[in-house]
Amino acid sequence: MTDADPTTDPRPGVRMVIMGRQGAGKGTQAVRVGETCAVPHISTGDMLRAAVKAGTELGLRAKAIMDAGDLVPDEVMIGIVGERLQQPDAQRGWILDGFPRTVGQAEALAAITAEAPVDVVVELVVPNEVVVERLSARRTCDSCGTIYTADDPEIADGVCPKCGGTPVQRDDDKPDAILHRLEVYERDTAPLLGHYGALGLLEQVDGLGSADDVFARLLAVVDARVGDPA
Ligand code: AMP
């Protein structure tokens, strides 16, 4: 999670939903924003992958759905996220990555967070052809989940330098599944942009350029919404 100390970190907490097509860089950026604001990065994809790995009932149920690039049913996801947001570390704020993905999930999130609602929804905007390229080259550590690109010299020996795990291509990052996931995004998730736009919560952030540049744009949005400590 985060090394930052919420009692000394000058940045205020934030309740952020980060959206964007698969491969837009949500995970990478959400980790950094979470560290800087000392709030947990809550990735429903990571939670489901952990459940698959642990062989829990949820994992067994989710695996085939995830491999096909389809969506796990709303009621399952709403239950998982509702529980996670009650944990002590989420009381100062959170970055939700991968949830909500449907209007039903967004409505449930609004109900769950009625007392402390979402501050901002960020869409990381990256064109389709760029995300297809990025996803095809993406390698994910099968142990700690760190994301690399296939040609990254750090993983030339096939070993994750962070934990000794193995960087692999996720089944859902293979070509057919990528195209299907992008279709599912357009059909089920893109309508949320209009939903959050109408609520005045949506900020669109250019997701192209270096990770540092994108991060700086994101922090500017956070500061504008929840206050810059500087
Ligand atoms: P991600 O890592 O966010 O791309 O998620 C990987 C897969 O997990 C997705 O393709 C879905 O099958 C499943 N998943 C993650 N989050 C959700 C969600 N909020 N609703 C439904 N399915 C989800």
Side-chain angles (χ1 to χ4, degrees), residues 108-217:
L109 179 64
I112 292 168
T113 59
E115 307 266 301
V118 174
D119 294 310
V120 61
V121 176
V122 172
E123 181 196 11
L124 274 188
V125 182
V126 175
N128 233 341
E129 51 286 7
V130 176
V131 298
V132 171
E133 222 170 85
R134 285 188 187 172
L135 290 175
S136 315
R138 181 157 81 175
R139 298 294 178 270
T140 307
C141 174
D142 68 354
S143 183
C144 70
T146 299
I147 292 168
Y148 300 96
T149 46
D151 60 359
D152 188 335
E154 280 202 311
I155 57 162
D157 58 359
V159 177
C160 171
K162 288 208 173 143
C163 76
T166 310
V168 295
Q169 184 170 40
R170 277 165 42 181
D171 284 337
D172 60 354
D173 280 345
K174 294 183 177 155
D176 284 354
I178 291 173
L179 293 179
H180 182 58
R181 286 162 75 208
L182 289 170
E183 279 165 19
V184 170
Y185 183 83
E186 293 309 324
R187 187 190 66 207
D188 294 331
T189 307
L192 289 183
L193 300 171
H195 172 88
Y196 283 124
L199 293 173
L201 288 172
L202 184 68
E203 296 274 3
Q204 290 180 303
V205 169
D206 181 2
L208 292 178
S210 74
D212 285 346
D213 287 347
V214 176
F215 180 58
R217 289 176 207 139

Side-chain angles (χ1 to χ4, degrees), residues 44-45 48-49 66 70 72 77 98-99 101 105 170 181:
T44 46
L48 290 172
R49 280 184 288 278
M66 293 171 72
D70 288 321
V72 173
M77 298 312 303
F99 184 97
R101 253 176 159 98
Q105 292 180 12
R170 277 165 42 181
R181 286 162 75 208

